[in-house]
């Protein structure tokens, strides 16, 4: 079952074709990482899903109901968190959520208990000061509380972690992960490590189309090769190592060699021990000794580079 489907959706701004026949299906209950470079069209897609902009063509359905531009009917099912949510800084979190709840028709004890539950849910139950003094992380968490007030089936988050420091990001990602099973989350980002941390499905938007859409596990299996990562004392040594290993590419287990500063990554096929033997033999023959030598799992960065190249 899918909570959200986009079929053959296209959108241009003047002569700029941002989305070209985009098809996207988000499985119910998933945390779906919607990945793309800056300007790929993630925000545009989200605005179309929310009915805030008009698609040139195509169909969008949320929970089986068609989204229509300018109408908010499907937004009953949808909560939305923009990248930098705006609040009234003079209000407390409780006052703000009460106001939002009233706007959605909640009243009396139902409103009070819902606000209290949401503040607790996002870790702001004891934050009694004004929102103006909140950190960015606290603001994002309040944004989630607001988006969840109506218990939406689908929560849309547009690059929610891009403005957060590492601690705020960790807290926020933990919060999103804790919502698994309660709502479906469409989470746009260009921070691939965030996707790896909490998402179970991934879609990669590139050149107006979803180039890949799969479970994270399938994607790793299908695309990425495992690799050996070596670090050297200097970039010059790393370059020497890469030059030495390059001719081994495409045979002898070594698939691809890339170098950046003091690091060399060697993607390999087959058995780790055989690839490691091959690499170390080549390096030690010229007494080029790495500082570190480690096996790494396939990661989303590699897959992303492979898809967008
Ligand atoms: N209202 C608009 N008028 C003209 N061009 C627009 C408009 N909205 C978006 N664009 C253009 O469409 C493209 C996609 O923008 P969008 O904001 O959807 O990308 P994004 O993937 O969300 O990028 P980012 O990660 O930078 O937020 C960009 O080139 C942008 O300049």
């Amino acid at each position: 079952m899918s909570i959200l489907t986009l079929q053959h959706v296209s959108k241009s701004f003047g002569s700029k074709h941002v989305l070209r026949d985009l098809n996207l299906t988000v499985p119910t209950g998933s945390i779906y990482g919607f990945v793309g470079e800056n300007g790929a069209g993630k925000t545009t897609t989200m605005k179309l899903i929310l009915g805030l902009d008009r698609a040139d063509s195509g169909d969008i359905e949320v929970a089986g109901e068609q989204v229509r531009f300018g109408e908010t009917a499907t937004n009953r099912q949808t909560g939305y968190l923009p990248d930098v949510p705006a609040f009234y800084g003079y209000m407390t979190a409780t006052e703000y959520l009460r106001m939002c709840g009233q706007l959605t028709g909640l009243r009396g004890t139902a409103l009070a208990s819902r606000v209290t539950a949401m503040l607790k849910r996002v870790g702001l139950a004891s934050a009694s000061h004004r929102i103006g003094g909140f950190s960015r992380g606290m603001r994002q968490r309040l944004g989630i509380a607001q988006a969840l007030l109506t218990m939406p089936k689908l929560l849309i988050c547009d690059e929610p972690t891009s403005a957060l420091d590492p601690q705020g990001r960790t807290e926020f990602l933990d919060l999103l992960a804790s919502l698994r099973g309660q709502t479906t989350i469409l989470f746009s980002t260009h921070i691939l490590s965030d996707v790896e941390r909490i998402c179970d499905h991934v879609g990669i938007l590139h050149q107006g189309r979803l180039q890949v859409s799969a479970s994270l596990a399938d994607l790793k299996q299908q695309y990425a090769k495992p690799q050996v990562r070596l670090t050297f004392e200097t970039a010059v040594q790393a370059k020497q190592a890469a030059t030495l290993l390059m001719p081994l590419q495409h045979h002898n287990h070594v698939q691809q060699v890339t170098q950046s500063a003091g690091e060399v990554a060697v993607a390999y096929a087959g058995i780790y021990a055989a690839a490691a033997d091959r690499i170390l033999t080549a390096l030690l023959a010229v007494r080029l000794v790495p500082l570190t030598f480690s096996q790494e799992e396939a990661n989303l960065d590699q897959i992303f580079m492979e898809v967008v190249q």
Side-chain angles (χ1 to χ4, degrees), residues 13 16 18 36-45 53 158-159 190:
F13 294 106
K16 188 172 178 70
V18 177
E37 310 130 297
N38 287 331
K42 303 181 294 297
T43 301
T44 301
T45 305
D53 210 341
D158 191 1
E159 307 220 17
H190 55 259

Side-chain angles (χ1 to χ4, degrees), residues 18-91:
V18 177
L19 303 178
R20 301 164 183 257
D21 197 27
L22 172 67
N23 294 302
L24 169 67
T25 302
V26 174
T28 305
S30 62
I31 301 185
Y32 190 103
F34 188 39
V35 175
E37 310 130 297
N38 287 331
K42 303 181 294 297
T43 301
T44 301
T45 305
M46 292 183 159
K47 282 187 179 164
L48 297 179
I49 296 166
L50 292 161
L52 298 175
D53 210 341
R54 189 196 297 273
D56 299 336
S57 57
D59 283 314
I60 304 176
E61 283 188 6
V62 174
E65 211 178 327
Q66 194 165 24
V67 174
R68 295 180 200 285
F69 166 63
E71 289 183 14
T72 56
T74 43
N75 290 352
R76 280 184 281 104
Q77 319 279 5
T78 312
Y80 174 56
L81 177 70
D83 51 353
V84 185
F87 302 105
Y88 297 113
Y90 61 85
M91 287 183 166

Side-chain angles (χ1 to χ4, degrees), residues 1-7 24-30 32 61-65 153-154 184:
M1 264 293 284
S2 50
I3 184 83
L4 171 69
T5 54
L6 281 79
Q7 287 182 309
L24 169 67
T25 302
V26 174
T28 305
S30 62
Y32 190 103
E61 283 188 6
V62 174
E65 211 178 327
K153 289 183 181 158
L154 175 66
T184 305

Side-chain angles (χ1 to χ4, degrees), residues 47-173:
K47 282 187 179 164
L48 297 179
I49 296 166
L50 292 161
L52 298 175
D53 210 341
R54 189 196 297 273
D56 299 336
S57 57
D59 283 314
I60 304 176
E61 283 188 6
V62 174
E65 211 178 327
Q66 194 165 24
V67 174
R68 295 180 200 285
F69 166 63
E71 289 183 14
T72 56
T74 43
N75 290 352
R76 280 184 281 104
Q77 319 279 5
T78 312
Y80 174 56
L81 177 70
D83 51 353
V84 185
F87 302 105
Y88 297 113
Y90 61 85
M91 287 183 166
T92 64
T94 304
E95 286 166 350
Y96 182 74
L97 289 186
R98 286 186 69 86
M99 180 191 75
C100 295
Q102 278 165 355
L103 289 173
T104 62
L106 282 168
R107 295 284 181 273
T109 50
L111 173 63
S113 63
R114 188 92 193 109
V115 167
T116 306
M118 279 300 106
L119 286 173
K120 203 167 157 204
R121 189 82 195 71
V122 301
L124 291 174
S126 56
S128 54
H129 55 291
R130 291 167 198 256
I131 300 168
F134 277 21
S135 69
R136 283 193 161 163
M138 291 168 82
R139 284 165 187 256
Q140 288 307 72
R141 285 186 277 135
L142 179 57
I144 286 281
Q146 180 194 343
L148 292 177
L149 264 183
T150 54
M151 299 204 243
K153 289 183 181 158
L154 175 66
L155 175 64
I156 296 180
C157 303
D158 191 1
E159 307 220 17
T161 54
S162 54
L164 299 183
D165 62 23
Q167 192 194 338
R169 168 173 297 159
T170 299
E171 285 171 3
F172 184 82
L173 291 174

